[in-house]
Amino acid sequence: MTAVRAQPLVSQAKTQDVRIIDTDVHERAELYSLLPYLEPKWRKYITDFGWQPDRVLPYAQFAAGGLDREDAKLPDGRPGGSDYNLLREQLLDEYNIDYAVLTGWLDASALAPGWPEFKTALMSAYNDWQLENWVARDERILGSVHVNAHDPQNAAREIDRMGAHPEFVQAIVYIGDKAYGDPYYHPIFEAAARNNLPIGLHHSENSPTALGFHRYFVEWHTLVPQVFMSEIVSLIFNGVLDKFPTLQVIMIEGGTTYVPHLMSRADQQYKELRSEVPWVKRMPSDIIREQFRFSTQPTEEMSPEKFLALIDGVGSEDLFCFSTDYPHWDFDSPWEALPAGLPEGLQRKIFFENAQHLYPKMPALRAR
Amino acid sequence: MKQVVCKIDELGPGEMKPAQLGPIRVVVIRAMDGTLHGLAAKCLHQGGPLERGRLYDHTVASSDVGEYVMDSDREILKCPWHGYEYDIRTGQTVFDETRCLQTFTVREEGDEITVELGVPGAAGQAGSARASA
Ligand code: FES
């Protein structure tokens, strides 16, 4: 009989029982399910007038299931992330996740700035919905405070309000087409620092490339790191990290491989052009190492040697935090996304220790 | 090692069913021409469950920018996660023919479809079998 050549089930996380903190998990709301949490005066704009979030991305997503993993969509047609039981089964239980940090769906910061009052109210409703339907339901699930960045003073108040909740561990700001280093947005960062919450920055379907929206989705998706580089550069050179030296920022869903290039180039520019931004007191690469973290997904297939060269390129083992992006199509499997054979200490840092340090409010890992 | 997958009439053209062959998860597919094919169901990329993917009775092909042609000579199983495309007959990925899923022999035996270890079409084996009318 032909010998069976079973395909590799290489599973560092699985075989070594590594603890896992997932820093990017997308729960999904239906707009109508937010109504009970929305102040009554705003409800008719959804129920009667049909408000919908604006979406600029002009493409279909060419994966098997569109935006979602095909197997994460609900049989009744609801999108992935809509159902707690399925999320628990496919993510929390399947991979024995210790903590999952929710990163959401609807985020006003990524939308065009108009009508800030409504969107600020909508974000408060979203946070209350998130708390009741997800965070309160499973001790492994931790929340993110969503805000409307285009209404910075009220965004700061929302961070104060929800940041007081012990299981909301970060404030999240989605990226549209605005550079958040502008002092106009600083109240948001100030509030995050005041509440000892990291800021998560996550791209969106309204994040353009440097040349807007090209002809094809594959172009846009290849170039997603551009918008992360834009935000990092904006925050550094507009002095946000110097102004709020305790602030931590995690860049969510841009991947990791752009980071060495950005560090090197920003350092060189700083050496040459520092006098334009005298409020920046440290080398950009040092600011990045001290105050930025990066979620790992979407990973690129690479050898352990190449991955270790990436770690070498950023000069630290402390920057990358594992994430799956469940339930989206470019989900990274905890068992397979990182190359096999990485040093155990590095795996521990990426899978959970770096995230533990990033999120001061995250509870200790429970004994297994 | 051999495993019954289902009754013959439970797998129509353009449909697939999962099967477990010892430790190996397999997906059994009936092509649009009625032939049967067996592929390892663990995606070569990150192990996505291919039996939860999408079958297409064509490949999207073209050499001209902006033109989309449906090539029905090549049927595809697309991974439910990141969308790697596999030729259901060979197990090869469309983007790199050297990356190939393990294939299995699938037969119709009596009123059942079976899957077993072995390369389809290898000596002494029936390989992928055309459905009897
Ligand atoms: S796991 Fe199948 S394409 Fe990634």
Side-chain angles (χ1 to χ4, degrees):
Chain A
M1 175 169 286
T2 312
V4 182
R5 189 183 63 79
Q7 293 176 44
L9 276 167
V10 176
S11 159
Q12 293 173 288
K14 191 179 184 186
T15 55
Q16 297 176 14
D17 199 26
V18 167
R19 313 302 293 261
I20 300 173
I21 294 169
D22 185 346
T23 57
D24 186 18
V25 176
H26 291 278
E27 85 287 7
R28 177 78 183 243
E30 298 292 315
L31 211 44
Y32 269 72
S33 61
L34 301 181
L35 291 174
Y37 305 89
L38 191 61
E39 287 178 82
K41 66 183 176 184
W42 298 114
R43 292 178 190 166
K44 63 177 175 292
Y45 299 105
I46 293 173
T47 56
D48 300 358
F49 305 156
W51 181 87
Q52 288 286 327
D54 48 285
R55 175 188 188 270
V56 182
L57 196 73
Y59 326 99
Q61 309 213 14
F62 275 65
L67 171 65
D68 294 322
R69 273 173 39 170
E70 172 65 11
D71 60 336
K73 295 193 290 190
L74 279 299
D76 61 12
R78 281 179 297 154
S82 299
D83 183 78
Y84 162 72
N85 290 315
L86 186 61
L87 184 143
R88 188 186 63 198
E89 174 194 324
Q90 290 190 325
L91 182 72
L92 303 179
D93 293 349
E94 172 78 10
Y95 299 105
N96 210 3
I97 302 285
D98 286 278
Y99 291 111
V101 180
L102 296 181
T103 48
W105 159 66
L106 178 67
D107 193 285
S109 304
L111 307 181
W115 207 18
E117 309 82 358
F118 171 73
K119 291 174 187 166
T120 293
L122 195 61
M123 290 301 93
S124 292
Y126 191 91
N127 290 329
D128 291 335
W129 170 88
Q130 183 194 171
L131 171 59
E132 189 168 318
N133 292 276
W134 293 91
V135 175
R137 217 162 162 181
D138 192 312
E139 59 185 1
R140 293 169 291 183
I141 294 178
L142 301 170
S144 292
V145 184
H146 289 255
V147 298
N148 175 17
H150 308 301
D151 185 2
Q153 301 297 342
N154 283 320
R157 285 190 194 99
E158 184 66 8
I159 291 171
D160 288 337
R161 182 179 81 94
M162 290 307 293
H165 191 285
E167 290 177 294
F168 276 68
V169 297
Q170 74 179 347
I172 194 162
V173 180
Y174 270 61
I175 302 167
D177 61 0
K178 300 286 182 281
Y180 290 132
D182 189 313
Y184 174 74
Y185 297 105
H186 287 197
I188 299 168
F189 300 107
E190 184 176 6
R194 178 166 71 235
N195 285 277
N196 207 18
L197 295 174
I199 286 273
L201 291 182
H202 193 301
H203 77 294
S204 73
E205 293 179 332
N206 294 350
S207 305
T209 75
L211 295 178
F213 292 90
H214 298 211
R215 280 168 64 102
Y216 300 111
F217 177 72
V218 65
E219 299 180 73
W220 179 79
H221 206 256
T222 300
L223 295 171
V224 161
Q226 285 184 343
V227 83
F228 285 91
M229 288 193 268
S230 294
E231 294 294 5
I232 294 167
V233 165
S234 174
L235 294 184
I236 290 175
F237 289 124
N238 286 271
V240 172
L241 291 313
D242 285 289
K243 190 172 173 184
F244 307 111
T246 63
L247 181 69
Q248 296 285 307
V249 181
I250 176 167
M251 310 304 287
I252 305 172
E253 208 179 330
T256 55
T257 51
Y258 67 91
V259 183
H261 158 73
L262 180 64
M263 284 179 160
S264 169
R265 183 159 177 88
D267 279 0
Q268 187 61 38
Q269 301 310 296
Y270 182 70
K271 291 174 201 164
E272 294 165 3
L273 304 169
R274 185 214 57 84
S275 61
E276 186 190 19
V277 286
W279 47 83
V280 180
K281 304 297 185 193
R282 292 167 287 161
M283 293 294 283
S285 63
D286 288 333
I287 294 176
I288 291 174
R289 272 186 289 272
E290 289 163 18
Q291 290 183 265
F292 282 91
R293 296 294 178 262
F294 303 85
S295 73
T296 50
Q297 180 274 346
T299 56
E300 296 148 30
E301 290 183 280
M302 63 174 91
S303 65
E305 294 74 25
K306 197 171 169 192
F307 190 86
L308 291 173
L310 172 64
I311 297 292
D312 201 41
V314 298
S316 172
E317 294 187 349
D318 301 338
L319 303 195
F320 301 156
C321 302
F322 185 77
S323 61
T324 64
D325 191 38
Y326 179 90
H328 294 159
W329 67 268
D330 45 351
F331 164 87
D332 264 343
S333 164
W335 297 345
E336 310 255 358
L338 297 178
L342 296 179
E344 193 184 333
L346 178 60
Q347 283 189 64
R348 289 168 56 89
K349 286 190 169 194
I350 294 173
F351 275 117
F352 69 98
E353 287 177 354
N354 291 343
Q356 282 181 304
H357 290 134
L358 173 67
Y359 298 110
K361 288 173 63 182
M362 182 173 275
L365 298 180
R366 287 175 296 276
R368 281 188 180 164
Chain B
M1 194 185 303
K2 183 191 281 192
Q3 186 69 43
V4 173
V5 180
C6 61
K7 299 285 187 196
I8 283 176
D9 59 6
E10 289 174 342
L11 189 65
E15 294 177 354
M16 60 182 164
K17 281 204 181 292
Q20 192 71 33
L21 201 54
I24 308 173
R25 217 171 65 237
V26 177
V27 57
V28 172
I29 302 163
R30 193 185 290 283
M32 295 309 289
D33 67 359
T35 54
L36 290 164
H37 307 275
L39 302 173
K42 185 173 185 285
C43 180
L44 296 174
H45 178 213
Q46 289 191 23
L50 294 176
E51 76 277 12
R52 303 288 303 275
R54 274 187 189 270
L55 275 176
Y56 290 96
D57 63 1
H58 64 275
T59 314
V60 180
S62 171
S63 296
D64 292 325
V65 176
E67 183 181 57
Y68 296 90
V69 176
M70 291 167 67
D71 175 4
S72 52
D73 287 344
R74 200 173 195 197
E75 294 171 53
I76 293 299
L77 174 55
K78 192 169 171 68
C79 177
W81 292 1
H82 316 93
Y84 280 24
E85 298 172 296
Y86 295 96
D87 185 321
I88 65 167
R89 289 178 160 75
T90 64
Q92 294 167 315
T93 59
V94 171
F95 62 85
D96 179 357
E97 294 187 348
T98 67
R99 295 184 68 174
C100 190
L101 291 167
Q102 188 173 357
T103 55
F104 299 87
T105 297
V106 185
R107 304 174 204 268
E108 292 182 344
E109 296 185 52
D111 64 348
E112 293 177 330
I113 295 171
T114 62
V115 61
E116 62 191 291
L117 288 174
V119 181
Q125 296 184 338
S128 299
R130 179 174 292 278
S132 49

